Every structure is written in structure tokens, then in C-alpha cells.
């Protein structure tokens, strides 16, 4: 099986969990040293596991992880599309290039890998694809517009696959983690507004294994969480209240709007201020 984004956080926990029960894992990310350490750490239970290091923002690499896995192991039974980058920036300061890059890593890498995995899965009579989305695609936080949009695209793609792949033997699961304690929180460009509880990445790994084993379609993790459940319900029945609360919790600073106005007066497009 292939797990992308396996050098840290949820992907690393998922790769370890699969390997712990004896599955052969191909761990994918850019940081080779971490992948190597992960594979060495699971060798006792999963001696054939390996890794492929590269940039999933490149279509050629996203396709290669599937082709190499099939060439080396003869099949791909599970693909976990988990790699992603955060984009925590006020909209005024985002460039078109930032947006395209985020979509390549967070959305297109999953599409490229999925399209490459479908033929060998069809040939083998089936398989499972797990797409790791985000609760931020259900209730969109301030500063996370582009990240949420990339995850909403992944949701739409996954929901479409439920219909398109029906009858093929290929199952698609969509997993929406809530706040999980990983390094993603320190990677964005703006400070994080959220300072509540964060759950261990193993919680998501367990849910992914469960989704594969029981062919579940969609899971929010942690499951049966009252705060996430309430937020989803409120988003459905009182979206205006959710918009109000979100903006209060993490407001766009007046100074950022002023900076954007000054750029507009100078005839400059949106993006980071070089001055
Ligand atoms: N943590 C949360 O609270 C949370 C909440 C909702 C959803 N999620 C989702 O859960 C998934 C895992 O996130 P995480 O929290 O575990 O974050 P993380 O620790 O930052 O892991 C992200 C992984 O993606 C890989 N990655 C990023 N860009 C890549 C690229 N261009 N090419 C190849 N690999 C790349 C990273 O590895 P390299 O840097 O080594 O390439 C890393 O292994 C993501 O899809 C994220 O959106 C997380």
C-alpha cells in the first residue's frame, strides 16, 4: 500500500499502523531521512516496506509512486492520499502561484495518484483509496480559504468517485480530521487562531485502518466529538452565526485591509507586500 505524506504526523502514524499489522507500506514524502527512519523502524513487522522520496506537486512523481509500487510489489491494494501543505494567509496576501502550488500538492497529487492507481486496481479486481481531507472543508476558518478550497475539491472528487467507481471493486473513503497534534500547525504563514484541544495523529491512523477494513465512506475524526458535531450542525442550520463566530475568533486585521488598499491604489495585484 502507498501512504503519502508519511514523513510526519498523520501519514507517519498511518504508515506505522499498517506496517505494525504486517502490511507492506510504500512511504512517500520529500524528507528522505525521515522516510528511511520510518522504514527501518517497522522492519521487524514489515520487512518489505520501502519509501519513495520526491515532490508530489510534480505530476510525474505522483504517477511514479504508483507505477514503482506495482513494478516492485506486483499490486497496489490501498492508496492513502494524505500529503498536504497548510496555506494560512489572508486572502489579500496570496498570489495566484501560492494557490496553484497548494492545489497541486493538496488536490492534484491525489487526482494524479488515483488515476494512476485505478488501472492496476481494476486489473486486480479491486482496492481502496483513502483521501485525507479536513474538517476545515466543512467549517472554513479565517486565513484558510485556499487550504479549505483545495480540500473541498478533494471532497467533490471523492464523492464523485463513489458513483463513478461503483461496481468496479474499488472503494473510496473520505476522512476529515479535526484538530490533530502534528507539525502542520507550525508550517503556515500566519499565526493560528485555534488554541483548543488537539488529538493524537494515531486517532486518525486508527480511523483510516477502520475505513479500509470496513469499507467506510466518510469519517470525521475524532468520531462522535460533540464540538465538531455541533459546529457541523450549526453550519447547516445557522450559517450566518458560524460566519460571525469564525470572524470573531480569528479576525482579519484592519491593517491588512489597509495594506491591500494601498497596493490596489498603486495598481498592484494581490500578493505579499515586498515593501
Ligand atoms: N493536523 C491537523 O490538525 C489536520 C487537520 C485536518 C486535516 N489534516 C490533514 O491531514 C493530512 C496530514 O497532515 P498532518 O497534520 O499530518 O501534517 P504534517 O505533519 O505537516 O504532514 C504533511 C505531510 O505531507 C508531506 N508533504 C507536504 N508537501 C509535500 C510535497 N510537495 N510532496 C510530498 N510530500 C509532501 C510532508 O512531508 P515532506 O515535508 O517531507 O514532504 C508530510 O509528510 C493533510 O492532508 C492535512 O491537510 C490535518
Amino acid at each position: 500500500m502507498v501512504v503519502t505524506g508519511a514523513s510526519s504526523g498523520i501519514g507517519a502514524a498511518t504508515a506505522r499502523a499498517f506496517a505494525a499489522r504486517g502490511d507492506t507500506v510504500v512511504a512517500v514524502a520529500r524528507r528522505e531521512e525521515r522516510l528511511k527512519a520510518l522504514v527501518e523502524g517497522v522492519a521487524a513487522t514489515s520487512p518489505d516496506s520501502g519509501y519513495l522520496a520526491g515532490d508530489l506537486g510534480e505530476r510525474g512523481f505522483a504517477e511514479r509512486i504508483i507505477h514503482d509500487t506495482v513494478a516492485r510489489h506486483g499490486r497496489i491494494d490501498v492508496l492513502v492520499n494524505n500529503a498536504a501543505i497548510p496555506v494560512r494567509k489572508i486572502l489579500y496576501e496570496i498570489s495566484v502561484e501560492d494557490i496553484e502550488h497548494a492545489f497541486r500538492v493538496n488536490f492534484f497529487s491525489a487526482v494524479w495518484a488515483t488515476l494512476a492507481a485505478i488501472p492496476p486496481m481494476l486489473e486486480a479486481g479491486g482496492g481502496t483509496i483513502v483521501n485525507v481531507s479536513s474538517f476545515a472543508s466543512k467549517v472554513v476558518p479565517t486565513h484558510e480559504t485556499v487550504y479549505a478550497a483545495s480540500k473541498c475539491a478533494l471532497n467533490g472528487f471523492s464523492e464523485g468517485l463513489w458513483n463513478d467507481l461503483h461496481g468496479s471493486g474499488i472503494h473510496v473513503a473520505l476522512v476529515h480530521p479535526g484538530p490533530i497534534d502534528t507539525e502542520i500547525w507550525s508550517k503556515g504563514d500566519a499565526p493560528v487562531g485555534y488554541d483548543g484541544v488537539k488529538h493524537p495523529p494515531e486517532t486518525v491512523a486508527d480511523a483510516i485502518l477502520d475505513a479500509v477494513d470496513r469499507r467506510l465512506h466518510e469519517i470525521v475524526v475524532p468520531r462522535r466529538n460533540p464540538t465538531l458535531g455541533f459546529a457541523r450542525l450549526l453550519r447547516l442550520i445557522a450559517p450566518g452565526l458560524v460566519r460571525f463566530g469564525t470572524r470573531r475568533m480569528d479576525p482579519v486585521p484592519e491593517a491588512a485591509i489597509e495594506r491591500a488598499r494601498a497596493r490596489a491604489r498603486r495598481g498592484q495585484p494581490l500578493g505579499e507586500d515586498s515593501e
Side-chain angles (χ1 to χ4, degrees):
M1 63 185 47
V2 172
V3 179
T4 72
S7 61
S8 59
I10 293 168
T14 303
R16 280 195 205 98
F18 276 120
R21 65 184 200 182
D23 293 327
T24 297
V25 177
V26 176
V28 178
R30 289 166 302 179
R31 286 170 294 179
E32 187 166 359
E33 282 309 309
R34 285 193 179 213
L35 297 176
K36 198 166 169 247
L38 183 136
V39 167
E40 283 167 5
V42 302
T45 53
S46 181
D48 290 336
S49 284
Y51 67 84
L52 289 166
D55 186 351
L56 286 165
E58 305 291 333
R59 177 177 157 190
F61 180 67
E63 292 172 346
R64 186 159 73 76
I65 62 173
I66 306 299
H67 299 146
D68 281 15
T69 299
V70 175
R72 176 146 189 235
H73 301 286
R75 68 197 167 106
I76 171 164
D77 47 4
V78 178
L79 165 64
V80 182
N81 289 310
N82 163 79
I85 48 166
V87 188
R88 205 169 298 112
K89 269 187 180 180
I90 301 170
L91 187 84
Y92 305 117
E93 296 176 358
I94 292 180
S95 66
V96 172
E97 288 75 21
D98 290 335
I99 298 174
E100 288 178 353
H101 180 243
F103 265 73
R104 275 202 304 280
V105 178
N106 295 6
F107 174 61
F108 279 111
S109 73
V111 173
W112 295 324
T114 297
L115 294 189
I118 288 173
M121 284 183 176
L122 282 176
E123 228 184 311
T128 303
I129 297 164
V130 181
N131 290 330
V132 179
S133 181
S134 173
F135 194 76
S137 68
K138 302 277 177 199
V139 177
V140 181
T142 321
H143 293 91
E144 308 236 11
T145 304
V146 171
Y147 173 77
S150 68
K151 295 298 190 177
C152 287
L154 191 61
N155 296 355
F157 181 59
S158 309
E159 292 184 28
L161 291 180
W162 290 336
N163 304 325
D164 293 348
L165 295 177
H166 185 74
S168 69
I170 303 173
H171 176 71
V172 176
L174 184 56
V175 176
H176 304 281
I180 308 298
D181 193 9
T182 71
E183 57 183 58
I184 204 170
W185 294 86
S186 58
K187 285 179 179 169
D189 294 285
V192 182
Y194 178 83
D195 64 354
V197 178
K198 292 189 194 118
H199 303 270
E202 288 72 22
T203 319
V204 187
D206 288 348
I208 291 174
L209 262 66
D210 199 24
V212 171
D213 292 344
R214 296 201 290 140
R215 298 210 137 200
L216 305 177
H217 283 87
E218 191 168 19
I219 318 179
V220 172
V221 190
R223 287 181 263 193
R224 291 176 286 283
N225 179 279
T227 312
L228 299 182
F230 181 66
R232 271 182 95 176
L233 182 69
L234 212 59
R235 171 73 182 75
L236 276 178
I237 59 173
L241 203 60
V242 172
R243 284 196 294 274
F244 175 77
T246 308
R247 290 194 298 255
R248 253 189 88 110
M249 196 174 88
D250 191 11
V252 174
E254 193 59 41
I257 304 174
E258 268 318 309
R259 279 199 302 276
R261 255 195 207 110
R263 282 174 69 90
R265 279 190 218 107
R266 295 196 296 269
Q268 292 174 323
L270 297 183
E272 241 160 296
D273 237 323
S274 47
E275 290 173 14

